[in-house]
Amino acid sequence: MSDAKISEFDRATALRRRQPGVHDALLDEGWAVGHAVNGGYLLSILARALGADLPHPDPFTISAHYLTASLPGPATVRTELARAGRTLATGSASLWQTDDTGTEVERVRVLATYGELDQLTEDVRTSAKPPHFPPPQECFSPRDNPAGSAANPAMTDRLDLRLDSATVGWALGEPSGSGEMRAWFSFADGRDADALSLLTTVDALPPAAFELGVTGWLPTVELTAHVRARPAPGPLRVALSTRNMAGGFLEEDCEVWDSEDRLVAQARQLARPR
Amino acid sequence: MSDAKISEFDRATALRRRQPGVHDALLDEGWAVGHAVNGGYLLSILARALGADLPHPDPFTISAHYLTASLPGPATVRTELARAGRTLATGSASLWQTDDTGTEVERVRVLATYGELDQLTEDVRTSAKPPHFPPPQECFSPRDNPAGSAANPAMTDRLDLRLDSATVGWALGEPSGSGEMRAWFSFADGRDADALSLLTTVDALPPAAFELGVTGWLPTVELTAHVRARPAPGPLRVALSTRNMAGGFLEEDCEVWDSEDRLVAQARQLARPR
């Protein structure tokens, strides 16, 4: 496949295997938010490495603890198998970067259990309902940001996000107080969603806490995502909510629904407003 | 302190430090569910080891991936520091047991970030509301199990659980279909709750999926818990819900509220009905 046919996301999360369990990555400045690189994008890179090294291909549940801010540039991913079972396999992975003094610094550590999504039963007894909000053409694109598109994080250009106008009060200085955020999610270049990209989707929207009046950088301490089904083609619906802001930390819950009304991913993160 | 003054929970989760980063534990058959040991109890043991070895004492967020069933008897916990920061520290830990052939087998692996609960701000802007259900004396004790108390898991004796009668239809063969479970939680010997014991509380109730008609063993694949505040003395209220049962897996969400109406812990697990 020629490079031109590879999606921007796949190029930006590509790995080169240096030796068994060790991969080279290049963190793309196009996925930056401020000086650091987005946590969901990092999760997809770590998940790609584990998918290559574990005996099952798909992340079923992955927990990431963010240690230090990852910066655009070279990175190393190291994986370690914990257990390989018949249907599930568990492993750890870490992403490292070399700092100005030549010291290798750990950025993110993950622990994940993998399986094969195609082997799951077709049985669906989900009682959760997809979020209801207007179609994409009636939603707010960050490209229409009243503060100018330069005010958007770099990663905004990689995505086609359409935010429910009921949850963009924060962008006008009038947060609704609801602690909710909803959006349609697609890649700007039209790449279809898959298990790996869902891990970027769960951390791609503006924080739900913006609608509570929280501003500025909201670093993730820990994020756990469950991938429950391979997403159907088409735009995804993402619904975030924050219910427990206390003691200088907050949780954010995320649901991702595909075009066939399936709850394909659930995630929760613990974040610390600065 | 004399042994008689130590609570059952503290005795059952006690560790003996063999060498730096290595602890001996004895998994108590009193915390069994069937042949295996309860996952929340195991989480408290792993969290105790990390609390002893990391530079901050309290688990803020801990993710456990359950690899093989833990059995009553000796176990070894090994911890590893990933990063020690000024207010947060992250580390991994694993629990191992030696099987019949003399091979050491990994049972559970965790990744956790610790801090100091007493250092958190008093700021509370939680919008979540505590669950409403009848007081303990009007709730159902598993000791009143119509199938006889021998039908209860061993760990039931360690606890004073009082289940909301609206969520015990499953015990009478008439699950409500709601996917919810609510209970008052105390230790049978009156031990007060703390950060460590909350990790047992989040996995101590009958599974919410029982109210969906699921029966039998429901092993946890992964469980992540956030401890958000030190619980006040008194019984805790625990609310479980399952919204996404599909493909042979289900998620279960857990909230724990203390006697001062504070949301002290949140947890989510991915489980696989057998």
Side-chain angles (χ1 to χ4, degrees):
Chain A
M1 186 155 56
S2 79
D3 202 52
K5 293 226 174 126
I6 300 179
S7 76
E8 191 284 326
F9 175 79
D10 291 305
R11 270 201 307 274
T13 56
L15 299 170
R16 220 177 118 260
R17 188 190 296 259
R18 198 194 307 166
Q19 62 193 67
V22 184
H23 305 261
D24 293 311
L26 190 63
L27 306 188
D28 193 311
E29 64 186 357
W31 285 91
V33 179
H35 73 295
V37 173
N38 171 259
Y41 163 70
L42 294 168
L43 192 57
S44 292
I45 290 176
L46 283 150
R48 192 185 283 283
L50 279 169
D53 293 347
L54 296 180
H56 300 299
D58 301 312
F60 277 17
T61 167
I62 182 164
S63 300
H65 288 243
Y66 295 87
L67 311 176
T68 52
S70 299
L71 308 176
T76 303
V77 179
R78 295 192 177 85
T79 67
E80 186 212 347
L81 173 71
R83 176 176 181 267
R86 194 175 51 83
T87 57
L88 296 177
T90 301
S92 300
S94 288
L95 187 140
W96 302 75
Q97 290 191 298
T98 303
D99 73 9
D100 291 343
T101 69
T103 309
E104 213 181 25
V105 180
E106 189 171 355
R107 301 299 194 200
V108 192
R109 186 179 289 205
V110 305
L111 178 55
T113 296
Y114 276 57
E116 201 148 338
L117 287 172
D118 293 334
Q119 299 293 317
L120 298 184
T121 69
E122 287 299 312
D123 182 37
V124 177
R125 283 184 274 173
T126 300
S127 61
K129 300 281 175 232
H132 277 293
F133 58 104
Q137 62 276 19
E138 294 172 26
C139 286
F140 175 86
S141 166
R143 290 168 197 172
D144 305 329
N145 191 333
S149 64
N152 295 328
M155 64 179 278
T156 309
D157 293 336
R158 301 287 179 270
L159 306 175
D160 185 2
L161 280 186
R162 301 298 176 101
L163 293 154
D164 180 357
S165 56
T167 66
V168 294
W170 58 276
L172 307 164
E174 293 167 5
S176 70
S178 73
E180 295 184 0
M181 191 77 64
R182 287 180 292 274
W184 295 91
F185 175 102
S186 301
F187 286 105
D189 66 3
R191 180 196 190 275
D192 279 330
D194 59 15
L196 223 52
S197 73
L198 285 176
L199 302 177
T200 291
T201 306
V202 298
D203 194 35
L205 271 57
F210 280 6
E211 279 294 87
L212 292 175
V214 172
T215 54
W217 198 36
L218 227 122
T220 303
V221 175
E222 173 266 329
L223 185 154
T224 297
H226 300 173
V227 174
R228 300 295 302 277
R230 212 175 282 294
L236 299 166
R237 280 156 296 170
V238 185
L240 304 183
S241 61
T242 291
R243 303 171 69 232
N244 190 16
M245 186 161 144
F249 287 81
L250 58 83
E251 112 288 13
E252 183 182 86
D253 260 38
C254 175
E255 289 189 352
V256 184
W257 294 80
D258 73 3
S259 59
E260 293 177 357
D261 276 357
R262 257 184 106 157
L263 180 44
V264 291
Q266 288 173 285
R268 180 179 287 161
Q269 63 173 276
L270 184 70
R272 177 156 62 161
R274 281 287 159 84
Chain B
M1 186 155 56
S2 79
D3 202 51
K5 294 228 174 121
I6 301 178
S7 76
E8 191 284 326
F9 175 79
D10 291 304
R11 270 201 308 276
T13 56
L15 298 171
R16 222 179 115 259
R17 189 190 294 261
R18 199 195 305 167
Q19 63 193 65
V22 184
H23 306 262
D24 292 311
L26 190 63
L27 307 188
D28 193 312
E29 62 186 359
W31 285 91
V33 179
H35 73 296
V37 173
N38 171 258
Y41 163 69
L42 294 168
L43 191 57
S44 291
I45 291 176
L46 283 150
R48 192 185 282 284
L50 279 168
D53 293 347
L54 295 180
H56 301 298
D58 301 313
F60 278 16
T61 166
I62 182 164
S63 300
H65 288 243
Y66 295 87
L67 311 176
T68 53
S70 298
L71 307 176
T76 303
V77 178
R78 294 194 177 84
T79 68
E80 185 212 347
L81 172 72
R83 175 174 182 268
R86 196 174 51 81
T87 57
L88 297 176
T90 300
S92 300
S94 287
L95 188 141
W96 302 76
Q97 291 191 298
T98 303
D99 72 9
D100 291 343
T101 69
T103 309
E104 214 182 25
V105 180
E106 190 171 356
R107 300 300 194 200
V108 192
R109 185 177 290 204
V110 304
L111 179 56
T113 296
Y114 276 56
E116 202 149 335
L117 287 172
D118 293 334
Q119 300 293 318
L120 298 184
T121 70
E122 288 298 313
D123 181 38
V124 177
R125 284 185 273 172
T126 300
S127 61
K129 300 283 176 232
H132 277 293
F133 58 104
Q137 62 275 18
E138 295 173 25
C139 285
F140 175 86
S141 166
R143 290 167 198 174
D144 305 328
N145 190 333
S149 63
N152 294 327
M155 65 179 278
T156 309
D157 293 335
R158 302 288 178 271
L159 306 175
D160 185 2
L161 280 185
R162 302 296 177 102
L163 293 154
D164 180 357
S165 57
T167 65
V168 293
W170 59 275
L172 307 164
E174 292 167 6
S176 70
S178 72
E180 295 183 2
M181 191 77 64
R182 287 180 291 274
W184 296 90
F185 175 102
S186 301
F187 286 105
D189 66 3
R191 179 196 192 276
D192 279 331
D194 60 13
L196 223 53
S197 74
L198 285 176
L199 302 178
T200 291
T201 306
V202 298
D203 193 36
L205 271 57
F210 280 6
E211 279 294 87
L212 292 176
V214 172
T215 55
W217 199 37
L218 227 122
T220 303
V221 175
E222 173 265 331
L223 185 154
T224 297
H226 299 173
V227 175
R228 300 296 301 278
R230 213 176 281 294
L236 299 166
R237 280 156 295 170
V238 185
L240 305 183
S241 61
T242 291
R243 304 170 70 231
N244 189 16
M245 188 162 143
F249 287 81
L250 57 84
E251 111 288 14
E252 182 181 87
D253 261 37
C254 175
E255 289 189 352
V256 184
W257 294 79
D258 74 4
S259 59
E260 294 177 356
D261 277 357
R262 255 184 107 156
L263 180 44
V264 291
Q266 288 174 284
R268 180 179 287 161
Q269 63 173 276
L270 184 70
R272 177 155 64 159
R274 281 290 160 81

